Amino acid sequence: MGSRGKILVMAGALLMPAACSSPVPVASTTTSAAPSTTTSPVSSAKPASDAPALGPGPGSQPPITPQPPPPHSPAQVTSACPFLGVTESSAAMGAVLDEYAVEQPPTTQQDAKTYQCHYASRTGGRQLLDLFVTVIPGTRQVTALVTEWTKDCKGPAAPIAEVAGTTRTCSMDGTNSGDVLVLVAKKSHGQTRLAELYLRPFPARVYTALAQLLNDRL
């Protein structure tokens, strides 16, 4: 996904003590291109049409009681789906999306751990959103990580001025039809936390709303 493989290697290097005389070998990893929100197949974990949505949002099934909100900047990150509910993502986009969220197995590289949440359509069988939340010990490398993380952007990585903190949005293919990256980076609980959200193109106000939600919760 984008520059994740390169950036986690760099993050590990930033965390290494200066006294080390030789670099710690890094396991070979395989990175993939940013997901297509219009063509990616749904994984085999697709629930039945009447299954409740995972994560904090009620999805297409009205809850009997109100769902609790996601954690506000939790002391420990253990999953990605709670950071963005399925109903609030639909509300932010101003669209009725019959989607569900599935938490994927986390991955670890060096000292950085990445949690993944995939949001797919119940009816269309297509990927609508992909959210990655990466946690890296220490808070001194935010600027370098954000710079490296957006190197795969084909369009300019523009700050989202309406959201306080370090946020960026960019086109992954340089057009108005390909995936868009919304990146939020934050120093929180002695860690650097980065939320990486891929979605199809929307008006700028949608990116602002989604970035604000993620910034508040990281």
Side-chain angles (χ1 to χ4, degrees), residues 34 59 64 75 101 105 147 149 151 156:
I64 298 175
T147 299
W149 211 293
K151 280 188 175 179

Side-chain angles (χ1 to χ4, degrees), residues 141-155:
Q141 66 272 36
V142 172
T143 301
L145 288 172
V146 170
T147 299
E148 185 68 23
W149 211 293
T150 54
K151 280 188 175 179
D152 285 347
C153 296
K154 300 305 181 184

Side-chain angles (χ1 to χ4, degrees), residues 61-143:
Q61 304 299 316
I64 298 175
T65 57
Q67 294 289 319
H72 180 83
S73 189
Q76 183 178 4
V77 177
T78 58
S79 57
C81 289
F83 285 92
L84 186 62
V86 294
T87 49
E88 62 191 359
S89 64
S90 296
M93 290 184 281
V96 179
L97 300 177
D98 191 11
E99 61 180 326
Y100 65 94
V102 177
E103 187 76 25
Q104 304 297 310
T107 58
T108 302
Q109 188 176 3
Q110 294 284 1
D111 290 328
K113 193 165 188 176
T114 298
Y115 302 88
Q116 308 175 32
C117 186
H118 293 177
Y119 301 77
S121 168
R122 294 179 191 274
T123 56
R126 295 181 178 182
Q127 204 72 14
L128 300 174
L129 301 170
D130 275 317
L131 175 64
F132 299 82
V133 177
T134 299
V135 179
I136 305 170
T139 59
R140 301 176 59 183
Q141 66 272 36
V142 172
T143 301

Side-chain angles (χ1 to χ4, degrees), residues 15-82:
L15 294 169
M16 289 170 57
C20 292
S21 59
S22 60
V24 177
V26 179
S28 175
T29 59
T30 302
T31 57
S32 58
S36 171
T37 55
T38 57
T39 60
S40 299
V42 176
S43 69
S44 59
K46 179 181 178 181
S49 60
D50 60 347
L54 303 181
S60 63
Q61 304 299 316
I64 298 175
T65 57
Q67 294 289 319
H72 180 83
S73 189
Q76 183 178 4
V77 177
T78 58
S79 57
C81 289

